Amino acid sequence: MDQSRDQQWAIHTVGLTKSFGSHNAVDAIDLRVPRGSIFGFLGPNGSGKTTTIRMLMGLANISAGEVSMLGYSIPTEIGKALPKVGALVEGPAFYPYISGRDNLMRFDAADRFADPKTRSQRVDAALAKVGLTQAAGKKVHAYSLGMKQRLGIANALLQPRDLLVLDEPTNGLDPQGTREVRNLIRSLALEGITIFISSHLLVEIEQMCTHLAVMSQGKIVAQGSVEELSASQTLQLKLVTADTDRALQGLESVGIKAVVDGEVLSALIPAGQIEPERIVQVLVELGVRVKAFELAAPTLEDRFVLLTGEGFDVAR
């Protein structure tokens, strides 16, 4: 892998594979995470997201392929990369009967890269960054789930970081906790930190991320900026009428093949193939009584379901 070309990527993999016997849990993926992005790693549970993260972080062996993180080859140069990477993987684990601040002091003391002379100052700065200064002296068992999640992110930020890896950071949170974590992630991105977020929650990815990749059964089936992946070359037609036979005839006359389900006719047509006004004109000329008419781009959810054959959670 050309390290000079990898400077534009915070994470870059080529053919990354993780095998368990004859089964590839992660199957030759080429992942490209731009520096400075909020990158969503999206897919149904069991699609290979967490296994990929574990390989990136050196927590699981790589069966095949190459990985570059912040320009360093993984696992060969993982000792150089990891001090610049903060991670919250598989949920935060804290000592429940000591304070949030004391938890961070203990975790920092266990970090061989941490300077003990600046420990207290860095812990206080991390707590302030995630909005926990007022709760720093409270025992962690009294924290809400959202506060514990923010404390986990504070732990990942005890050292200056170029990359933050978060595995399901809003999973299980109530709406207020979700908003708190979402706003925190946005604020960190404004500081120039690349944020890599693994999630099965489509709504969270849509609201937070600038780029994303979609995993399904161990493979990446879509990747790019949110704008690129939201752009549609196909429009979805939905027509509701009691005059289904005449409606089918009218649509076929302008080159549209529709399927009928009761009074609902549906079709996919290339964008720009025909103006909506022309479709309506043909239907009116044939005397079709139109109860409802819609021509719109498929949602991200629609497109991802088509790609993966599986649904995504779009709400909590």
Side-chain angles (χ1 to χ4, degrees):
M1 189 180 292
D2 187 339
Q3 296 296 315
S4 64
R5 289 189 305 164
D6 271 352
Q7 296 308 310
Q8 64 178 307
W9 310 114
I11 299 171
H12 184 199
T13 74
V14 177
L16 179 62
T17 300
K18 179 63 177 177
S19 301
F20 296 97
S22 60
H23 171 66
N24 287 344
V26 177
D27 193 358
I29 66 170
D30 298 337
L31 184 64
R32 298 179 297 276
V33 179
R35 288 182 184 257
S37 65
I38 305 178
F39 191 97
F41 197 37
L42 181 68
N45 288 326
S47 59
K49 304 188 305 297
T50 297
T51 301
T52 298
I53 291 175
R54 291 179 62 80
M55 286 191 287
L56 295 176
M57 301 303 298
L59 300 174
N61 292 329
I62 297 169
S63 300
E66 298 177 86
V67 178
S68 170
M69 189 158 58
L70 300 175
Y72 297 104
S73 178
I74 305 299
T76 308
E77 298 178 295
I78 197 166
K80 297 178 181 179
L82 285 186
K84 300 180 180 182
V85 181
L88 180 60
V89 180
E90 296 177 354
F94 298 106
Y95 299 101
Y97 294 105
I98 64 174
S99 70
R101 188 178 192 279
D102 286 343
N103 264 281
L104 295 191
M105 293 289 284
R106 290 196 178 197
F107 283 124
D108 193 72
D111 183 352
R112 64 188 178 93
F113 298 104
D115 182 356
K117 296 178 182 178
T118 62
R119 179 165 297 136
S120 181
Q121 178 184 354
R122 288 185 291 103
V123 165
D124 289 339
L127 288 165
K129 185 168 288 187
V130 301
L132 287 178
T133 298
Q134 298 302 314
K138 184 184 292 188
K139 292 180 180 179
V140 168
H141 75 82
Y143 278 23
S144 68
L145 185 57
M147 292 169 69
K148 289 177 182 176
Q149 207 69 346
R150 284 189 283 149
L151 187 63
I153 295 174
N155 182 45
L157 295 171
L158 287 173
Q159 299 275 27
R161 307 296 190 188
D162 294 332
L163 171 64
L164 195 58
V165 177
L166 306 176
D167 188 14
E168 302 281 1
T170 62
N171 198 25
L173 299 186
D174 61 20
Q176 180 179 347
T178 298
R179 283 193 297 272
E180 291 173 355
V181 171
R182 186 189 304 144
N183 290 335
L184 172 59
I185 288 170
R186 287 172 178 155
S187 69
L188 294 172
L190 290 175
E191 298 178 15
I193 301 174
T194 303
I195 316 287
F196 181 88
I197 306 167
S198 170
S199 181
H200 67 285
L201 296 168
L202 176 59
V203 67
E204 293 304 317
I205 296 301
E206 283 189 282
Q207 293 187 38
M208 281 190 290
C209 296
T210 59
H211 297 72
L212 59 87
V214 183
M215 285 280 286
S216 178
Q217 299 179 11
K219 295 180 178 290
I220 291 178
V221 294
Q223 183 169 205
S225 70
V226 171
E227 290 79 8
E228 289 169 347
L229 295 177
S230 295
S232 180
Q233 300 300 315
T234 304
L235 299 179
Q236 190 167 27
L237 171 67
K238 181 180 178 181
L239 171 66
V240 182
T241 177
D243 305 317
T244 54
D245 290 341
R246 275 182 286 173
L248 277 173
Q249 177 188 346
L251 294 176
E252 288 177 0
S253 72
V254 291
I256 298 173
K257 293 184 178 181
V259 295
V260 182
D261 182 7
E263 293 190 346
V264 179
L265 285 77
S266 301
L268 292 175
I269 62 175
Q273 173 181 305
I274 186 169
E275 295 296 326
E277 295 86 349
R278 174 59 182 153
I279 300 173
V280 173
Q281 179 186 356
V282 168
L283 295 173
V284 170
E285 289 174 351
L286 289 174
V288 176
R289 295 166 293 174
V290 177
K291 296 181 180 180
F293 178 88
E294 182 181 87
L295 188 61
T299 65
L300 272 179
E301 181 190 4
D302 293 332
R303 304 185 79 197
F304 292 164
V305 168
L306 287 171
L307 286 168
T308 66
E310 301 179 72
F312 290 82
D313 290 346
V314 294
R316 306 196 167 273

